[in-house]
mmCIF file of all heavy atoms in Angstrom:
data_model
loop_
_atom_site.group_PDB
_atom_site.id
_atom_site.type_symbol
_atom_site.label_atom_id
_atom_site.label_comp_id
_atom_site.label_asym_id
_atom_site.label_seq_id
_atom_site.Cartn_x
_atom_site.Cartn_y
_atom_site.Cartn_z
ATOM 1 N N LYS A 138 52.698 19.809 153.712
ATOM 2 C CA LYS A 138 52.370 20.898 154.501
ATOM 3 C C LYS A 138 52.664 20.698 155.987
ATOM 4 O O LYS A 138 52.456 19.642 156.501
ATOM 5 C CB LYS A 138 50.850 21.366 154.344
ATOM 6 C CG LYS A 138 50.578 21.757 152.947
ATOM 7 C CD LYS A 138 49.109 22.192 152.897
ATOM 8 C CE LYS A 138 48.656 22.661 151.535
ATOM 9 N NZ LYS A 138 47.203 22.999 151.420
ATOM 10 N N LYS A 139 53.202 21.722 156.658
ATOM 11 C CA LYS A 139 53.478 21.616 157.965
ATOM 12 C C LYS A 139 52.191 21.627 158.887
ATOM 13 O O LYS A 139 51.269 22.472 158.520
ATOM 14 C CB LYS A 139 54.375 22.759 158.446
ATOM 15 C CG LYS A 139 55.765 22.669 157.879
ATOM 16 C CD LYS A 139 56.685 23.788 158.265
ATOM 17 C CE LYS A 139 58.112 23.657 157.805
ATOM 18 N NZ LYS A 139 58.945 24.786 158.261
ATOM 19 N N LYS A 140 52.111 20.775 159.757
ATOM 20 C CA LYS A 140 50.938 20.762 160.643
ATOM 21 C C LYS A 140 51.260 21.633 161.885
ATOM 22 O O LYS A 140 52.391 21.668 162.500
ATOM 23 C CB LYS A 140 50.731 19.360 161.171
ATOM 24 C CG LYS A 140 50.373 18.337 160.030
ATOM 25 C CD LYS A 140 50.151 17.087 160.512
ATOM 26 C CE LYS A 140 49.802 16.073 159.382
ATOM 27 N NZ LYS A 140 49.659 14.775 159.949
ATOM 28 N N PHE A 141 50.253 22.464 162.207
ATOM 29 C CA PHE A 141 50.352 23.364 163.414
ATOM 30 C C PHE A 141 50.046 22.595 164.666
ATOM 31 O O PHE A 141 48.917 22.045 164.746
ATOM 32 C CB PHE A 141 49.547 24.659 163.264
ATOM 33 C CG PHE A 141 49.749 25.515 164.451
ATOM 34 C CD1 PHE A 141 50.707 26.311 164.600
ATOM 35 C CD2 PHE A 141 48.677 25.510 165.375
ATOM 36 C CE1 PHE A 141 50.799 27.224 165.789
ATOM 37 C CE2 PHE A 141 48.729 26.245 166.526
ATOM 38 C CZ PHE A 141 49.782 27.137 166.580
ATOM 39 N N VAL A 142 50.924 22.495 165.602
ATOM 40 C CA VAL A 142 50.692 21.824 166.820
ATOM 41 C C VAL A 142 50.834 22.723 167.893
ATOM 42 O O VAL A 142 51.827 23.475 168.011
ATOM 43 C CB VAL A 142 51.576 20.612 166.950
ATOM 44 C CG1 VAL A 142 51.320 19.840 168.234
ATOM 45 C CG2 VAL A 142 51.520 19.642 165.816
ATOM 46 N N GLY A 143 49.952 22.724 168.894
ATOM 47 C CA GLY A 143 50.087 23.542 170.076
ATOM 48 C C GLY A 143 51.079 23.166 171.092
ATOM 49 O O GLY A 143 51.785 22.156 170.932
ATOM 50 N N LYS A 144 51.087 23.840 172.266
ATOM 51 C CA LYS A 144 52.052 23.409 173.243
ATOM 52 C C LYS A 144 51.661 22.060 173.746
ATOM 53 O O LYS A 144 52.536 21.267 174.283
ATOM 54 C CB LYS A 144 51.937 24.524 174.352
ATOM 55 C CG LYS A 144 52.453 25.831 173.991
ATOM 56 C CD LYS A 144 52.267 26.761 175.118
ATOM 57 C CE LYS A 144 52.986 28.137 174.704
ATOM 58 N NZ LYS A 144 52.880 29.034 175.888
ATOM 59 N N SER A 145 50.413 21.724 173.871
ATOM 60 C CA SER A 145 50.011 20.462 174.486
ATOM 61 C C SER A 145 50.168 19.347 173.474
ATOM 62 O O SER A 145 50.062 18.179 173.855
ATOM 63 C CB SER A 145 48.436 20.478 174.852
ATOM 64 O OG SER A 145 47.682 20.779 173.660
ATOM 65 N N GLY A 146 50.590 19.580 172.245
ATOM 66 C CA GLY A 146 50.856 18.601 171.309
ATOM 67 C C GLY A 146 49.591 18.141 170.542
ATOM 68 O O GLY A 146 49.678 17.098 169.816
ATOM 69 N N LYS A 147 48.498 18.686 170.776
ATOM 70 C CA LYS A 147 47.241 18.339 170.104
ATOM 71 C C LYS A 147 46.990 19.232 168.946
ATOM 72 O O LYS A 147 47.398 20.394 168.900
ATOM 73 C CB LYS A 147 46.072 18.375 171.001
ATOM 74 C CG LYS A 147 46.204 17.253 172.135
ATOM 75 C CD LYS A 147 45.016 17.303 173.135
ATOM 76 C CE LYS A 147 45.183 16.263 174.145
ATOM 77 N NZ LYS A 147 44.018 16.313 175.024
ATOM 78 N N ALA A 148 46.189 18.823 168.002
ATOM 79 C CA ALA A 148 45.777 19.710 166.942
ATOM 80 C C ALA A 148 44.740 20.658 167.296
ATOM 81 O O ALA A 148 44.009 20.394 168.332
ATOM 82 C CB ALA A 148 45.195 18.731 165.746
ATOM 83 N N PRO A 149 44.665 21.834 166.587
ATOM 84 C CA PRO A 149 43.649 22.791 167.097
ATOM 85 C C PRO A 149 42.182 22.245 166.938
ATOM 86 O O PRO A 149 41.845 21.428 166.099
ATOM 87 C CB PRO A 149 43.936 23.863 166.091
ATOM 88 C CG PRO A 149 44.482 23.305 164.865
ATOM 89 C CD PRO A 149 45.324 22.168 165.467
ATOM 90 N N ARG A 150 41.357 22.797 167.920
ATOM 91 C CA ARG A 150 39.944 22.483 167.917
ATOM 92 C C ARG A 150 39.163 22.857 166.635
ATOM 93 O O ARG A 150 39.430 23.927 166.164
ATOM 94 C CB ARG A 150 39.301 23.030 169.211
ATOM 95 C CG ARG A 150 37.912 22.414 169.355
ATOM 96 C CD ARG A 150 37.260 23.196 170.602
ATOM 97 N NE ARG A 150 38.012 22.752 171.783
ATOM 98 C CZ ARG A 150 37.862 23.146 173.045
ATOM 99 N NH1 ARG A 150 36.905 24.106 173.204
ATOM 100 N NH2 ARG A 150 38.503 22.812 174.021
ATOM 101 N N GLY A 151 38.338 21.940 166.148
ATOM 102 C CA GLY A 151 37.558 22.328 165.029
ATOM 103 C C GLY A 151 38.239 21.813 163.745
ATOM 104 O O GLY A 151 37.606 21.823 162.687
ATOM 105 N N LYS A 152 39.368 21.353 163.711
ATOM 106 C CA LYS A 152 40.055 20.887 162.512
ATOM 107 C C LYS A 152 40.359 19.480 162.736
ATOM 108 O O LYS A 152 40.837 19.001 163.718
ATOM 109 C CB LYS A 152 41.365 21.659 162.290
ATOM 110 C CG LYS A 152 40.988 23.095 161.899
ATOM 111 C CD LYS A 152 42.445 23.909 161.546
ATOM 112 C CE LYS A 152 42.046 25.239 161.125
ATOM 113 N NZ LYS A 152 43.427 25.956 160.700
ATOM 114 N N VAL A 153 40.151 18.694 161.718
ATOM 115 C CA VAL A 153 40.362 17.251 161.688
ATOM 116 C C VAL A 153 41.374 16.953 160.595
ATOM 117 O O VAL A 153 41.423 17.520 159.552
ATOM 118 C CB VAL A 153 39.149 16.484 161.634
ATOM 119 C CG1 VAL A 153 39.456 14.977 161.589
ATOM 120 C CG2 VAL A 153 38.090 16.936 162.376
ATOM 121 N N GLN A 154 42.258 15.978 160.892
ATOM 122 C CA GLN A 154 43.184 15.603 159.978
ATOM 123 C C GLN A 154 42.476 15.099 158.568
ATOM 124 O O GLN A 154 41.503 14.542 158.650
ATOM 125 C CB GLN A 154 44.049 14.542 160.492
ATOM 126 C CG GLN A 154 44.921 15.039 161.641
ATOM 127 C CD GLN A 154 45.739 13.872 162.170
ATOM 128 O OE1 GLN A 154 45.818 12.853 161.622
ATOM 129 N NE2 GLN A 154 46.486 14.238 163.214
ATOM 130 N N HIS A 155 43.180 15.353 157.597
ATOM 131 C CA HIS A 155 42.692 14.940 156.245
ATOM 132 C C HIS A 155 42.484 13.422 156.110
ATOM 133 O O HIS A 155 43.382 12.687 156.471
ATOM 134 C CB HIS A 155 43.740 15.404 155.086
ATOM 135 C CG HIS A 155 43.224 15.053 153.711
ATOM 136 N ND1 HIS A 155 42.069 15.676 153.162
ATOM 137 C CD2 HIS A 155 43.656 14.150 152.837
ATOM 138 C CE1 HIS A 155 41.866 15.275 151.932
ATOM 139 N NE2 HIS A 155 42.841 14.351 151.634
ATOM 140 N N GLY A 156 41.371 13.052 155.648
ATOM 141 C CA GLY A 156 41.009 11.625 155.488
ATOM 142 C C GLY A 156 40.415 11.019 156.877
ATOM 143 O O GLY A 156 40.066 9.914 156.708
ATOM 144 N N LYS A 157 40.368 11.762 157.854
ATOM 145 C CA LYS A 157 39.688 11.338 159.103
ATOM 146 C C LYS A 157 38.512 12.098 159.463
ATOM 147 O O LYS A 157 38.087 12.013 160.544
ATOM 148 C CB LYS A 157 40.801 11.415 160.218
ATOM 149 C CG LYS A 157 41.986 10.535 159.953
ATOM 150 C CD LYS A 157 42.883 10.550 161.203
ATOM 151 C CE LYS A 157 44.090 9.596 161.078
ATOM 152 N NZ LYS A 157 44.993 9.593 162.222
ATOM 153 N N ARG A 158 37.825 12.810 158.578
ATOM 154 C CA ARG A 158 36.621 13.484 158.856
ATOM 155 C C ARG A 158 35.426 12.579 159.013
ATOM 156 O O ARG A 158 35.292 11.620 158.287
ATOM 157 C CB ARG A 158 36.344 14.508 157.780
ATOM 158 C CG ARG A 158 35.138 15.521 158.057
ATOM 159 C CD ARG A 158 34.946 16.436 157.018
ATOM 160 N NE ARG A 158 35.959 17.380 156.855
ATOM 161 C CZ ARG A 158 36.208 18.490 157.532
ATOM 162 N NH1 ARG A 158 35.273 18.726 158.537
ATOM 163 N NH2 ARG A 158 37.176 19.284 157.393
ATOM 164 N N LYS A 159 34.682 12.722 160.111
ATOM 165 C CA LYS A 159 33.506 12.057 160.409
ATOM 166 C C LYS A 159 32.269 12.535 159.892
ATOM 167 O O LYS A 159 32.002 13.790 159.992
ATOM 168 C CB LYS A 159 33.358 11.670 161.821
ATOM 169 C CG LYS A 159 34.570 10.968 162.478
ATOM 170 C CD LYS A 159 34.360 10.773 163.917
ATOM 171 C CE LYS A 159 35.563 9.963 164.459
ATOM 172 N NZ LYS A 159 35.419 9.806 166.014
ATOM 173 N N PHE A 160 31.366 11.726 159.278
ATOM 174 C CA PHE A 160 30.063 12.203 158.768
ATOM 175 C C PHE A 160 28.925 11.675 159.755
ATOM 176 O O PHE A 160 29.017 10.536 160.185
ATOM 177 C CB PHE A 160 29.848 11.766 157.345
ATOM 178 C CG PHE A 160 30.828 12.294 156.424
ATOM 179 C CD1 PHE A 160 32.025 11.562 156.033
ATOM 180 C CD2 PHE A 160 30.610 13.646 155.884
ATOM 181 C CE1 PHE A 160 32.935 12.142 155.216
ATOM 182 C CE2 PHE A 160 31.556 14.047 155.035
ATOM 183 C CZ PHE A 160 32.762 13.324 154.648
ATOM 184 N N LYS A 161 28.003 12.616 159.949
ATOM 185 C CA LYS A 161 26.865 12.222 160.758
ATOM 186 C C LYS A 161 25.865 11.378 159.990
ATOM 187 O O LYS A 161 25.728 11.734 158.840
ATOM 188 C CB LYS A 161 26.111 13.429 161.417
ATOM 189 C CG LYS A 161 27.013 14.231 162.363
ATOM 190 C CD LYS A 161 26.197 15.405 162.986
ATOM 191 C CE LYS A 161 27.037 15.977 164.022
ATOM 192 N NZ LYS A 161 26.229 17.200 164.634
ATOM 193 N N LYS A 162 25.231 10.390 160.593
ATOM 194 C CA LYS A 162 24.377 9.577 159.976
ATOM 195 C C LYS A 162 23.013 10.335 159.830
ATOM 196 O O LYS A 162 22.622 11.118 160.779
ATOM 197 C CB LYS A 162 24.130 8.300 160.645
ATOM 198 C CG LYS A 162 25.215 7.290 160.511
ATOM 199 C CD LYS A 162 24.939 6.098 161.286
ATOM 200 C CE LYS A 162 26.146 5.094 161.122
ATOM 201 N NZ LYS A 162 25.908 3.785 161.768
ATOM 202 N N ASP A 163 22.223 10.133 158.836
ATOM 203 C CA ASP A 163 20.918 10.693 158.682
ATOM 204 C C ASP A 163 19.890 10.159 159.689
ATOM 205 O O ASP A 163 19.728 8.978 159.667
ATOM 206 C CB ASP A 163 20.370 10.538 157.280
ATOM 207 C CG ASP A 163 19.184 11.338 156.995
ATOM 208 O OD1 ASP A 163 18.716 12.144 157.805
ATOM 209 O OD2 ASP A 163 18.642 11.201 155.920
ATOM 210 N N SER A 164 19.309 11.130 160.489
ATOM 211 C CA SER A 164 18.467 10.652 161.573
ATOM 212 C C SER A 164 16.989 10.361 161.148
ATOM 213 O O SER A 164 16.139 9.980 161.897
ATOM 214 C CB SER A 164 18.430 11.575 162.819
ATOM 215 O OG SER A 164 18.035 12.844 162.296
ATOM 216 N N GLY A 165 16.709 10.777 159.849
ATOM 217 C CA GLY A 165 15.337 10.643 159.348
ATOM 218 C C GLY A 165 14.922 9.192 159.083
ATOM 219 O O GLY A 165 15.707 8.342 159.277
ATOM 220 N N PRO A 166 13.609 8.935 158.750
ATOM 221 C CA PRO A 166 13.093 7.706 158.510
ATOM 222 C C PRO A 166 13.773 7.060 157.329
ATOM 223 O O PRO A 166 14.212 7.730 156.394
ATOM 224 C CB PRO A 166 11.606 7.905 158.341
ATOM 225 C CG PRO A 166 11.576 9.342 157.776
ATOM 226 C CD PRO A 166 12.611 10.052 158.491
ATOM 227 N N PRO A 167 13.919 5.730 157.389
ATOM 228 C CA PRO A 167 14.508 5.007 156.243
ATOM 229 C C PRO A 167 13.746 5.166 155.056
ATOM 230 O O PRO A 167 12.495 5.137 155.056
ATOM 231 C CB PRO A 167 14.537 3.522 156.766
ATOM 232 C CG PRO A 167 13.501 3.472 157.829
ATOM 233 C CD PRO A 167 13.380 4.778 158.422
#
């Protein structure tokens, strides 16, 4: 699939490349 790149050469905000999504750690008690 073609990646959409803006004029600045950066990926659009809110989208992360496949395989590079970050998950938040659970802040609750262990």
Side-chain angles (χ1 to χ4, degrees):
K138 293 182 180 179
K139 291 183 179 180
K140 296 178 182 178
F141 178 79
V142 181
K144 291 180 181 180
S145 60
K147 294 181 180 179
R150 188 178 294 175
K152 292 185 178 180
V153 185
Q154 294 178 8
H155 182 69
K157 293 184 179 182
R158 187 179 294 277
K159 294 180 180 180
F160 296 95
K161 292 182 180 180
K162 292 183 180 180
D163 189 7
S164 60

